[in-house]
Amino acid sequence: MVAAMTGFIALLRPHTASLHLSVLYLLVVLPVAVVWGTGLALITSVLCVVVYGYLFVPPFQAFPVANSEDIVALIVFALTALVVGHLAARMRRALRAAQRLTEEHAALRQVATLVARSCPPSEVFEAVTREVGLLCGADVARMERYEADGTVTGVAAWSRNRQFDPLRVGTRFDLSGLSVARNVRHSGRPVRIESFAGATGPIAQESRARGIRSSVGCPVTVGGRLWGVIAASTTKDKPFPGDTEAKIASFTELVATAVENAEARAELSASRARIVNAADEARRRIERDLHDGVQQRLVSLVLLVGSTQDMVPPELDELRARLRDVGDGLTDASEELREMARGIHPSVLATGGLVSALKALARRCPIPVDLAVHTVGNLPKQVQVSGYYVISEALTNVVKHSRATAVTVTVAEDETVLHLAVRDDGVGGADFDGGTGLVGLKDRVEALGGRMSVDSPRSAGTTLRVELPLFHRDRGDSEPARGPALSAAQGSSGRAPDSGPRTRSSPA
């Protein structure tokens, strides 16, 4: 750059005063100060003055003792280099700080979006550990949850190097010995460990085995209690900057919000499930009381009236007729009571399972029902009860509102979900705001963690689809209690079911 400017000055020298031309070297000093800093700019200033004095100040091509012009030029160039270099350095620092702040805000915005969308906590945890690791320049980042037995369990982990195996999610460690998790639990504040050399304990040993030199961690507080810790670790000898704790702490509130939301949803779901279970149990109890109490008493009265009728003398025909009417009335009342009890809770559901209950339901429906069941194995009792009531209410809606001539009911099962579908050829137009009982069905389905949808275009029939999880998300067991078995394939259309499997295209 100095050589290029010198050639340019040589071209201009015949046309202007030499003193003015020396100022052009500022066009060299300024970019050097901005790009490469003050030190190189000072060297460039001296070089510019020497070259200019050597080529353009008499005696030419000599290094005379510095005159006043050279001293003034050197001072101007040096001051320019110092001021511009300092300002450029400040601008570079401000730019780097702005870039880091932008990256931090972008990371926080991404995590906050996941929290606002009510994404699963595991997805939020993975995003937080990844962003913490990237922002802090860490080699490993992890999130751990404190357990009631004094241990800590990994819930998310991230590694910068794919070949570097991070701590596995689900791994449980004892808090004995040196570790970020132990120190955070004892202090409740952010902690920093500069070295694990010579430290004891399973976490310290694991850290040394993975080459971790230092770690920084911050607590995660949920509802006023210490829930867990977020930690970043590095394998480099250089420790983390002083603002690392603040960067990590900016994510802890989002994690706490995600945990609180998940716990609130789990509590709400469990509460709704308990309400549904209590209602179903009350239905079973009422049905049992009616069957074992009032209904049996009515049957006894029918028998008593019949035996009394046989004891009436032949000449009392009018009394005999009245007793016969009483017996017929009691029989009709007993049948009505039986139908009422079956509507409250069908006993065949408890004795024969979902398939038998659905076949009985299809036979009683005034509209022809084509029932196809494609499922194997046993189903949880609560799933069978909910499935029965969903189909029962759906058929009731079809009879009352659809003006349909035929209904198709399909039941299918995969590894984790029971699929139900009820489709009619009626007038359509059903929705959750129509007051047809769909809202209550949806509440029942969602109480078990399921999903329900309605497709009901005008004049094109209605299709109700329901998905019920076979393993309730609020339960920790992997093998829930199951009720009576469903056969591999059953069919019914208001008459005897088919004996073998059927191949159908299910609307579900």
Side-chain angles (χ1 to χ4, degrees):
M1 294 176 66
V2 172
M5 185 56 66
T6 300
F8 181 66
I9 291 175
L11 294 176
L12 295 179
R13 186 169 177 267
H15 308 287
T16 186
S18 300
L19 181 61
H20 297 163
L21 293 175
S22 64
V23 180
L24 295 178
Y25 278 108
L26 286 176
L27 300 178
V28 177
V29 176
L30 288 175
V32 171
V34 171
V35 179
W36 289 284
T38 303
L40 187 58
L42 290 174
I43 297 175
T44 305
S45 300
V46 175
L47 181 60
C48 290
V49 172
V50 171
V51 170
Y52 184 79
Y54 181 79
L55 296 178
F56 303 113
V57 177
F60 300 110
Q61 298 180 356
F63 295 99
V65 178
N67 53 39
S68 60
E69 293 182 3
D70 294 336
I71 294 176
V72 170
L74 180 60
I75 292 175
V76 170
F77 290 171
L79 289 176
T80 302
L82 288 172
V83 173
V84 175
H86 178 69
L87 293 177
R90 290 184 59 182
M91 290 177 59
R92 285 193 292 270
R93 289 194 297 269
L95 180 60
R96 286 194 295 268
Q99 289 176 341
R100 289 195 299 268
L101 189 61
T102 300
E103 293 174 355
E104 184 175 346
H105 286 174
L108 289 171
R109 186 163 53 249
Q110 180 181 358
V111 176
T113 301
L114 295 177
V115 175
R117 291 177 179 174
S118 298
C119 292
S122 58
E123 186 175 346
V124 177
F125 297 161
E126 292 175 0
V128 168
T129 52
R130 180 179 65 252
E131 299 301 336
V132 165
L134 293 174
L135 284 178
C136 298
D139 295 303
V140 178
R142 63 195 182 278
M143 186 184 304
E144 298 167 341
R145 181 185 64 241
Y146 293 114
E147 306 293 349
D149 59 359
T151 60
V152 65
T153 301
V155 296
W158 171 88
S159 174
R160 183 178 298 275
N161 188 351
R162 293 184 178 181
Q163 297 179 350
F164 188 93
D165 183 23
L167 296 177
R168 292 189 302 273
V169 174
T171 304
R172 181 172 292 196
F173 287 97
D174 185 75
L175 291 180
S176 60
L178 180 66
S179 68
V180 168
R182 188 200 67 168
N183 292 358
V184 167
R185 185 163 194 171
H186 288 171
S187 65
R189 298 190 300 270
V191 300
R192 178 183 291 247
I193 297 178
E194 299 294 350
S195 175
F196 290 95
T200 60
I203 297 181
Q205 295 174 359
E206 183 81 11
S207 299
R208 285 200 305 271
R210 297 172 183 272
I212 294 176
R213 302 297 181 87
S214 61
S215 297
V216 178
C218 290
V220 177
T221 303
V222 177
R225 77 181 193 280
L226 185 61
W227 179 87
V229 58
I230 304 176
S233 303
T234 180
T235 58
K236 304 178 182 66
D237 294 330
K238 183 180 179 181
F240 286 104
D243 62 345
T244 304
E245 288 87 345
K247 291 181 179 179
I248 299 177
S250 61
F251 289 90
T252 58
E253 292 186 2
L254 293 175
V255 174
T257 301
V259 174
E260 289 176 342
N261 291 345
E263 290 180 349
R265 288 194 300 270
E267 292 175 0
L268 176 60
S269 180
S271 175
R272 295 171 67 182
R274 287 193 296 269
I275 293 173
V276 171
N277 291 337
D280 291 339
E281 183 60 33
R283 286 172 176 263
R284 284 191 291 269
R285 186 173 61 253
I286 294 173
E287 187 273 335
R288 186 173 56 250
D289 292 343
L290 290 176
H291 180 272
D292 298 340
V294 179
Q295 190 174 349
Q296 294 300 323
R297 187 171 180 83
L298 287 176
V299 172
S300 299
L301 290 175
V302 170
L303 295 176
L304 179 60
V305 170
S307 61
T308 303
Q309 183 180 356
D310 295 336
M311 297 172 58
V312 174
E315 61 272 15
L316 299 178
D317 291 338
E318 184 178 355
L319 178 59
R320 185 189 300 272
R322 293 199 175 195
L323 288 175
R324 183 169 55 252
D325 293 340
V326 171
D328 293 341
L330 290 174
T331 300
D332 293 341
S334 178
E335 290 297 329
E336 292 177 3
L337 185 61
R338 181 180 295 108
E339 289 297 322
M340 184 182 301
R342 185 181 294 116
I344 295 174
H345 186 84
S347 58
V348 67
L349 185 62
T351 58
L354 181 59
V355 172
S356 300
L358 292 181
K359 288 192 292 185
L361 193 64
R363 285 193 295 268
R364 295 198 307 270
C365 183
I367 299 176
V369 177
D370 186 9
L371 174 65
V373 180
H374 308 282
T375 180
V376 296
N378 299 330
L379 294 176
K381 184 170 74 172
Q382 186 56 45
V383 172
Q384 295 196 54
V385 172
S386 295
Y388 173 83
Y389 284 123
V390 166
I391 295 176
S392 176
E393 181 66 23
L395 292 179
T396 301
N397 288 339
V398 170
V399 173
K400 289 183 177 180
H401 308 289
S402 72
R403 298 201 291 270
T405 59
V407 185
T408 300
V409 177
T410 305
V411 181
E413 175 192 3
D414 57 28
E415 294 182 355
T416 59
V417 177
L418 179 67
H419 300 273
L420 308 174
V422 180
R423 183 174 183 177
D424 65 65
D425 60 354
V427 297
D431 56 45
F432 291 106
D433 299 326
T436 57
L438 293 177
V439 175
L441 285 182
K442 185 177 181 181
D443 290 342
R444 170 182 281 275
V445 170
E446 291 180 349
L448 295 179
R451 294 184 298 177
M452 175 176 167
S453 63
V454 175
D455 182 16
S456 185
R458 294 287 180 181
S459 303
T462 299
T463 300
L464 174 71
R465 297 183 180 90
V466 174
E467 296 179 359
L468 293 174
L470 299 181
F471 303 97
H472 199 283
R473 65 181 60 182
D474 293 328
R475 296 187 55 171
D477 47 36
S478 60
E479 292 294 338
R482 289 176 171 252
L486 289 176
S487 60
Q490 299 283 351
S492 175
S493 57
R495 52 188 184 274
D498 298 338
S499 58
R502 299 165 52 191
T503 302
R504 301 177 53 85
S505 59
S506 170

